[in-house]
Amino acid sequence: MHPACDLSVRINRREQIFVLTVRGEVDYDDAGDFERAWEAADRAAMPVTAVDLAEVTFADSTLLNALIRARHRHQADGRALVLVGPLRAAVSRLLEISGTTELFTVTDARPG
């Protein structure tokens, strides 16, 4: 078990990019925050959603499942989903261990 740490999910819009900035630790307790953020991204229906994960220090299947579900919705709508790093070890390891790294476009370039 890891100690509780604040999670921060911020939403911004930059031209044609919807940006979700996630900071801190992401686990089951944060599922509601993510659902609200993804709902906002889906309502905005912008061509690109960028998920800035550079400051995520811990992540479990909550983050992974949210990203996979968002990827499916984005693909179905013809929109792009991009993960922004550099990804910390916890997130990189989660993607590698789950075999999902190839599902996502990852960049270190900040949107906007």
Side-chain angles (χ1 to χ4, degrees):
M1 208 74 180
H2 64 283
C5 182
D6 290 335
L7 170 73
S8 169
V9 179
R10 286 186 329 185
I11 299 170
N12 292 308
R13 292 186 178 114
R14 297 185 182 139
E15 301 197 16
Q16 295 297 309
I17 302 173
F18 190 91
V19 182
L20 291 173
T21 303
V22 185
R23 292 193 166 104
E25 296 184 355
V26 181
D27 62 20
Y28 180 77
D29 294 335
D30 305 308
D33 291 337
F34 269 109
E35 284 306 312
R36 286 185 291 280
W38 293 121
E39 288 169 4
D42 290 343
R43 277 192 310 274
M46 299 186 109
V48 177
T49 298
V51 184
D52 186 341
L53 300 172
E55 298 299 320
V56 172
T57 56
F58 172 85
D60 67 8
S61 61
T62 301
L63 176 63
L64 182 62
N65 289 330
L67 292 173
I68 291 170
R69 285 192 310 271
R71 179 182 178 270
H72 289 301
R73 288 193 310 273
H74 279 70
Q75 281 186 322
D77 294 342
R79 298 182 293 136
L81 178 69
V82 178
L83 306 185
V84 180
L87 301 179
R88 291 189 180 198
V91 177
S92 293
R93 194 169 35 251
L94 179 67
L95 295 175
E96 289 169 19
I97 289 171
S98 64
T100 57
T101 303
E102 302 81 32
L103 295 179
F104 300 100
T105 300
V106 181
T107 182
D108 290 348
R110 294 280 183 258

